[in-house]
Every structure is written in C-alpha cells, then in structure tokens.
C-alpha cells in the first residue's frame, strides 16, 4: 500500500511539473516582409534587400521551450530561405532553412511559415538568409532567455544589448557574388564594416551614422555580440574596458575576462560589460582578423560609441586594436574558452567514438570549361576558384532538396560516398604545396556522409596550404559540438590526442580551424535528417567548401523525422 501511495504521489508531482512546463512555454509569432529598399550609406544611396525595412532585421526574443512561428513573405526579386543559425531543430529539420539542403527556395511573390520549438539551449543565436549573399542584409538576432522563473548562471544584467557586426558593399551584393561566380575569380571585397547597421565615423559621410550605447555608471550590461559579416573574422574591443565572456554560440562558458573578443562569421559571443570607468565617451571598435597572407581584404575599422549617462561632451577614447594578422591573439582567445559544467544543459562529451573522420579543408581549382568569348577564367592558372573537403567540392542539387530525397528515398540527388579520409596524404600545411599541380585540382559532386542515429562522430579538421592558407570558420547545422583541441601544423595523433579536453571543452556550432592548423570536434548525431556542414565565409560556400551529414532515423516514432509541412516550397 505504501508503495502504491508513493507511486501515486510521484505521478502527481511529475504531472504538475509537466503542466508547469507547458504553462510557461509560449508560441512566439513574427511576420517577415522581405523586400528591396533604398538606404543611404557611405555618401550614396544603395538598394538592399531587408526584412521589415530594417538593417539589421527584427530581433526575435523567446524563452527556452517556446515555439517560434515566423511567416516569411518574399516580396523581393530573389529566391529566399531563412536559416535559424545554431537552433538544434530537434525533429524539425524541415525548418532549418538552407536552400536545396532542407527545402527549396521561397520564390518571389510567395510565402512560407517556419515553425519549430526552441529547446535545450539558452543564449544568443541569429537568423539569416541562406541563399546567395542575401545574408549580408537579411539577418537579425535570435535571443533565447531561460524559462520563466529560471535564471542565468551569472548575476542578472541591468540591460541586454545585441551587437551585430556586419559588412557593407557599395553595390548590390547579389551582383557582386554573381560576377565572381561568372568569371571564376574572387568577388570584390566589401567597402565597410558595420555595428548594428551603422558604419561609424571613420568612413566618409558617416559621422551621423555611428551606433551609440548609453550606459549608467556601475551597471552591468550583457552584450550579445554576433558576427553577421559575410567574409571576415573580426577583433572587437571597447576602450579602457574589460569584458567577461559568459557564453558562445548559445552555450555557457566558464567566465573568461578579456579586453578583446575574436569572432568568426556565424559565431556569437555573450559578454558582461560593467560600466566602471570614468564617466566619459569610449569607442567600441571592430577590425578584421585576416589570416591569409598576401590576399586583399577590407582593411577598415567600424566603431560605435559608449556614452556614460551624465558625462560631459568629449572626444571618445579609442581602443588599440590588434594587427589584422595577429594570430597569437586570436588563438589565445579561442583556446581559453571552456564549457560551464554547472550550466543548465551541460552534458560531458561522449567517450566512445563510432565514426572517426579526418577532413582536409581549403581552396583549390576546378576546370574553367570556358566562358562566352573567353578561353580562360580569372582564377589562378586560368581556372576557376573552388574549395573542397577531402578534395570533394560540394555542389547543391536543384531538383528537390536533399532532405526530401532522404525522406522519400529518392535516388540520384546525392551520393553517400563522402570519404572519411583525404584521397591523398601530403604535407598539408607546407606553403610549397600552395600551387602543386598534382593536388590543387578538384571536381564538383554532391557527396554526403551517412551516419546511424545516435552515433558519436569525431572529426579532425586539417587546414591545407593550397592556394592560400587561412583560418576557416566551419559551421555544423543541427548540432552543437565539443571542441576537444586545436593547434598549428599537421595534426599528429600520437602527440595531439594527449591535448584533448574531455572535462570541460567549449561547445559551439561554428569553429575557426586555425590558419595552418587543425581542430578536433566531437558530437552525438541524435537528430535525424540532413545537416549541412560548411565554411561560413560566404565566398567559400558557393565554391564548394561543404558537405552534409545524413543522420538515419532512430528506432522509435519519437526519434524519426516527421513528414514535411504541406506548404513546404517546391522546386
């Protein structure tokens, strides 16, 4: 009898907990009207594609456990999809967004509604277009706060402020990309960087186009920093102020105090800023971390202003920014981050590995195949720039999405022969191999890696010196991964496995593979579907620096991908 009473009591407690969870969860609904508009930047009027007329687009705020519903109306002249960068999309892979990976594009004049639950993560993520270069202006913050009546694992800040670092062209970005693809060369560099859509007063005609943040002395602010730039990693500093990193990519970290944040395209970093300096004005500033030697880049600086409440007018103090090629500072920042094991969603990294992969990444060339009126392309050796993983240069399908092919078992859309190892072993980081004709060429294909449900995957990403050697930010859709170790040179398992952090590694969805180096990640494939993995430098994605994981369905209905929404866009 006593056992029955105890069982009944436990059942009631579980039901009450479940009901409390259901009551606290909400449906958060937004409408995105995506269309072209003309704005003024850098002394000229420029047409851009924007959401609800703003740059950046609207900030979405949800609580963990909420369901997000976003109605997207494509009033632009371009095909469109929206990717919810870093959201796990547990059993909602149809809403992930990358064009021809999980859906066909939303055509001009059409609409589509994204609906998914945001669960198991807190912090700063973001949303952006996942078609061509539209994400240069079609993007915004996605902030996940703890459930109601739950708290942050740090003192509650006085205010939360999104800081979106962007990139600006004095041109239509779709035209810039198309020109590069047509001639096989690198597209034009940007003309400016921005903070929350404003270039800042170092650029022409931009004195009044400078982002300003007013602060109260003694108060602590949570800055949610997002790198929404297309092609550049960035250093970010605030004059005379320290920052305390408390999360990256919506995963809590052990607090780390720094005077500089390094952030790659696609990454987010949450920092606590305490306004503890003399009441005055201080510049916040960002400039590029450009690790590829001899490659032209946008070597300019954007800045905003932090103004203390009640401060007398004064010239803002400027921080000393790192040199554009300061790899030691970047490496120190990235390697000093560790996971918060007392955080609400922390799980230790799995020890048993089912799939071992060694993936070389870098640039290369593909055959020109001629151009109208021209015998050669504008890339090196008269060929086209290409990029590859394990010498497979990824090409998206265009008939149906890969996820539809997976769900309906349609053949001929992709092959499952992506190699676990590079086809040729060589001295990967030796600059003498930069233009080695025997290994520089690649071919286009749609090769993916098939993985059993719940398998643990370990990947060694090895940078190569082909064409040029640089830091590559690699983004994995659908999962967070543990960063076990990273370093320079060629990965040596006999030595480098001893460096693995299996106690409190940082969790991320985007990691910069060090210039001339390697990084090791590990994740559990517990979400069925098709998940893109690619370089988040947009110049490299259309060149083919990508592949996909096809994660098989699990054994039970709750571990199988549901059917697609009836209104999923068709190709």
């Amino acid at each position: 009898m006593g056992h029955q009473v105890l069982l009944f009591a436990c059942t009631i407690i579980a039901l009450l907990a479940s009901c409390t969870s259901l009551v606290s969860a909400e449906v958060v609904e937004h409408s995105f009207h995506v269309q072209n508009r003309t704005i003024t930047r850098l002394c000229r009027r420029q047409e851009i594609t924007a959401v609800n007329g703003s740059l950046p687009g609207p900030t979405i705020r949800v609580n963990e456990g909420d369901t997000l519903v976003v109605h997207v109306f494509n009033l632009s002249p371009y095909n469109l999809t929206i990717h919810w960068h870093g959201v796990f999309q547990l059993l909602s892979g149809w809403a992930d967004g990358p064009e021809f990976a999980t859906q066909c594009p939303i055509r001009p004049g059409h609409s589509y509604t994204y609906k998914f639950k945001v669960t198991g993560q807190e912090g700063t993520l973001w949303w952006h277009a996942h078609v061509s270069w539209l994400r240069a202006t079609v993007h915004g913050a996605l902030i996940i706060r703890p459930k109601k009546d739950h708290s942050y694992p740090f003192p509650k800040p006085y205010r939360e402020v999104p800081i979106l670092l962007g990139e600006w062209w004095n041109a239509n970005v779709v035209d810039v990309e198309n020109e590069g693809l047509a001639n096989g060369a690198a597209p034009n560099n940007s003309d400016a960087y921005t903070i929350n859509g404003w270039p800042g007063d170092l650029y022409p005609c931009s004195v009044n186009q400078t982002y300003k943040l007013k602060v109260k002395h003694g108060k602590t602010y949570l800055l949610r920093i997002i790198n929404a730039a297309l092609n550049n990693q960035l250093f970010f500093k605030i004059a005379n102020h320290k920052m305390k990193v408390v999360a990256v990519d919506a995963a809590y970290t052990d607090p780390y105090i720094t005077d500089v944040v390094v952030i790659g395209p696609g990454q987010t970093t949450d920092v606590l800023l305490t306004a503890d300096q003399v009441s005055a004005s201080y510049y916040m500033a960002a400039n590029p971390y450009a690790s590829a030697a001899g490659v032209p880049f946008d070597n300019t600086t954007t800045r905003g202003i932090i103004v203390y409440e009640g401060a007398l007018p004064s010239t803002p103090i400027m921080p000393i920014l790192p040199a554009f090629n300061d790899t030691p500072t970047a490496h120190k920042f990235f390697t000093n981050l560790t996971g918060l094991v007392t955080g609400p969603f922390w799980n230790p990294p799995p020890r048993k590995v089912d799939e071992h992969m060694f993936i070389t990444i870098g640039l290369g060339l593909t055959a020109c195949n001629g151009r109208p009126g021209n015998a050669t392309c504008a890339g090196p050796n008269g060929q086209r720039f290409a990029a590859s993983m394990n010498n497979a240069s990824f090409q998206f399908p265009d008939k149906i999405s890969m996820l539809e092919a997976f769900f309906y078992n349609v053949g001929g859309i992709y092959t499952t022969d992506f190699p676990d190892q590079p086809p040729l072993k060589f001295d990967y980081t030796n600059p003498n191999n930069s233009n080695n004709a025997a290994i520089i060429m690649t071919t286009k294909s749609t090769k993916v890696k098939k993985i059993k449900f719940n398998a643990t995957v370990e990947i060694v990403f090895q940078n190569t010196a082909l064409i040029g050697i640089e830091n590559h930010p690699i983004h994995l859709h659908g999962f967070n991964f543990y960063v076990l170790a990273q370093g320079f040179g060629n990965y040596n398992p006999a030595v480098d496995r001893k460096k693995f952090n299996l106690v409190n590694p940082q969790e991320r969805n985007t990691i910069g593979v060090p210039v001339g180096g390697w990084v090791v990640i590990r994740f559990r494939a517990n979400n069925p579907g098709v998940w893109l993995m690619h370089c988040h430098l947009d110049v490299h994605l259309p060149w083919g620096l990508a592949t996909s994981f096809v994660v098989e369905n699990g054994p039970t209905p709750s571990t199988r991908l549901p059917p697609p929404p009836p209104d999923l866009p068709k190709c």
Side-chain angles (χ1 to χ4, degrees), residues 494-538:
V495 175
D496 295 328
R497 290 191 72 84
K498 297 175 184 177
K499 303 173 185 175
F500 282 14
N501 178 359
L502 295 169
V503 177
N504 63 342
Q506 60 179 291
E507 287 186 77
R508 303 210 75 130
N509 62 58
T510 306
I511 184 66
V513 182
V515 54
W518 52 269
V519 66
V520 183
I521 70 168
R522 190 179 290 181
F523 70 97
R524 179 173 283 121
N526 56 3
N527 194 9
V530 176
W531 305 105
L532 190 63
M533 181 175 72
H534 64 96
C535 182
H536 220 268
L537 298 175
D538 263 26

Side-chain angles (χ1 to χ4, degrees), residues 75 83 91 111 137 159 162 193 200 210 252 299 363 497 541:
L75 308 175
H83 170 50
L91 298 180
S111 63
T137 53
R159 186 181 163 200
Y193 302 106
T210 303
Y252 291 117
N299 190 15
L363 303 184
R497 290 191 72 84
L541 178 56

Side-chain angles (χ1 to χ4, degrees), residues 40 42 90 114 119 222 279 287 347 356 418 447 533 553:
T40 300
L42 275 60
L90 291 169
Y114 292 92
T119 184
L222 177 60
S279 291
N287 70 343
N347 285 301
H356 288 272
F418 181 84
K447 296 181 178 182
M533 181 175 72
N553 280 306

Side-chain angles (χ1 to χ4, degrees), residues 279-297:
S279 291
S281 295
Y282 301 85
Y283 279 118
M284 62 173 78
N287 70 343
Y289 166 47
S291 57
V295 176
F297 64 97

Side-chain angles (χ1 to χ4, degrees), residues 14 41 118 361 432 437 521 542 554:
R41 294 289 189 277
V118 181
I361 60 174
N432 292 331
I521 70 168

Side-chain angles (χ1 to χ4, degrees), residues 114-170:
Y114 292 92
K115 182 178 181 180
F116 53 91
K117 189 173 182 179
V118 181
T119 184
Q121 52 193 153
E122 296 171 2
T124 303
L125 296 174
W126 62 303
W127 56 265
H128 61 79
H130 214 293
V131 174
S132 68
W133 278 22
L134 285 180
R135 80 171 173 92
T137 53
V138 178
H139 63 252
L142 199 172
I143 294 170
I144 309 169
R145 293 195 177 107
K147 276 190 174 77
K148 291 174 181 175
D149 301 323
H150 289 60
S151 60
Y152 296 121
F154 47 79
K156 183 179 179 181
Y158 175 72
R159 186 181 163 200
E160 302 179 15
V161 183
I163 301 291
L164 284 91
L165 307 176
E167 206 166 359
W168 176 265
W169 277 260
N170 284 330

Side-chain angles (χ1 to χ4, degrees), residues 20 111 122 164 341 345 352 405 446 514 534 536 557 567:
T20 301
S111 63
E122 296 171 2
L164 284 91
V341 299
F345 302 109
K352 179 179 176 294
T446 311
H534 64 96
H536 220 268
D567 60 339

